[in-house]
Amino acid sequence: MNQAPLMIQHSCRIPVRLADCFALYTRLKANEYIHSDAVIAPITNIEMIQGKSFNEVGDIQRITFKGGAIIDEEVLAFVPNRQFVYKGTGFSQPLLNWLDHAKGSFEFEKDGDGTLVTWRYLFYLKTGLGHTPKRIVFKALVVDLIWHRMMTKTLVNLTQIITLRAMQTGKKS
């Protein structure tokens, strides 16, 4: 029996017009804004496996982290000025190897003269022996503790970077 995925989401308001915010976001590489610290290893390499920009459905990138962990991400949906959806597979880190896959999305919505950005992540755990206890541990440690902190800090980084780049190009609001 498949269980519902574990979900976490966070939102932030970026004081940049929707179209400019989305365009600036899609030009960023994950290693420019993803938060890393003593628990979350920094990204050491991003390699395109399929496609050229990671902005089109079917594009696949491989992200390598310090220590050798790897995640492959595939673009599932790309709706300009609205949504970017991707699927992660091949997680090799402890606890994350319990995942079958994950789906992430960044959703963009006009918010006055700025943009509301919501980052949603769905974790689909592998089924099998010990699934229920693994789900409880995964939710407590990965989702509620590690991912919550990482998402919060990453969205602060994203807000600062997009706001600064918009100011540099004269596209704030």
Side-chain angles (χ1 to χ4, degrees):
M1 176 173 108
N2 287 338
Q3 293 189 7
L6 296 169
M7 193 226 4
I8 186 169
Q9 74 176 33
H10 287 286
S11 298
C12 65
R13 184 183 187 283
I14 300 178
V16 176
R17 290 184 303 253
L18 176 63
D20 295 331
C21 184
F22 189 85
L24 288 164
Y25 165 77
T26 59
R27 289 185 206 126
L28 294 173
K29 297 285 185 201
N31 60 344
E32 293 182 83
Y33 63 90
I34 295 291
H35 170 76
S36 62
D37 58 20
V39 176
I40 300 158
I43 294 170
T44 58
N45 189 47
I46 299 174
E47 173 188 4
M48 289 304 297
I49 302 299
Q50 182 171 306
K52 295 180 182 176
S53 64
F54 201 62
N55 286 335
E56 295 191 24
V57 173
D59 286 355
I60 300 172
Q61 70 181 6
R62 176 166 291 151
I63 299 176
T64 305
F65 296 85
K66 184 177 181 181
I70 295 172
I71 298 171
D72 287 342
E73 295 182 332
E74 177 182 359
V75 178
L76 300 178
F78 186 90
V79 181
N81 300 329
R82 181 67 190 126
Q83 185 182 56
F84 179 85
V85 182
Y86 58 101
K87 176 181 179 179
T89 57
F91 295 90
S92 60
Q93 302 95 320
L95 295 179
L96 291 183
N97 62 7
W98 295 351
L99 287 175
D100 178 70
H101 68 281
K103 286 185 183 174
S105 67
F106 281 90
E107 298 182 16
F108 296 76
E109 186 177 333
K110 184 176 177 359
D111 185 28
D113 59 355
T115 305
L116 180 67
V117 177
T118 300
W119 185 12
R120 183 174 298 114
Y121 217 82
L122 300 164
F123 298 93
Y124 295 84
L125 275 68
K126 294 174 184 172
T127 57
L129 189 62
H131 177 76
T132 300
K134 284 180 179 178
R135 184 178 173 88
I136 292 167
V137 170
F138 191 90
K139 179 163 181 359
L141 290 178
V142 176
V143 178
D144 294 343
L145 183 65
I146 296 169
W147 223 264
H148 170 77
R149 188 179 86 241
M150 189 269 297
M151 286 180 93
T152 300
K153 291 182 176 186
T154 292
L155 287 175
V156 168
N157 292 346
L158 193 63
T159 300
Q160 291 172 347
I161 291 165
I162 289 175
T163 302
L164 288 172
R165 291 195 181 171
M167 290 170 58
Q168 290 170 349
T169 60
K171 297 182 175 184
K172 191 170 179 200
S173 58

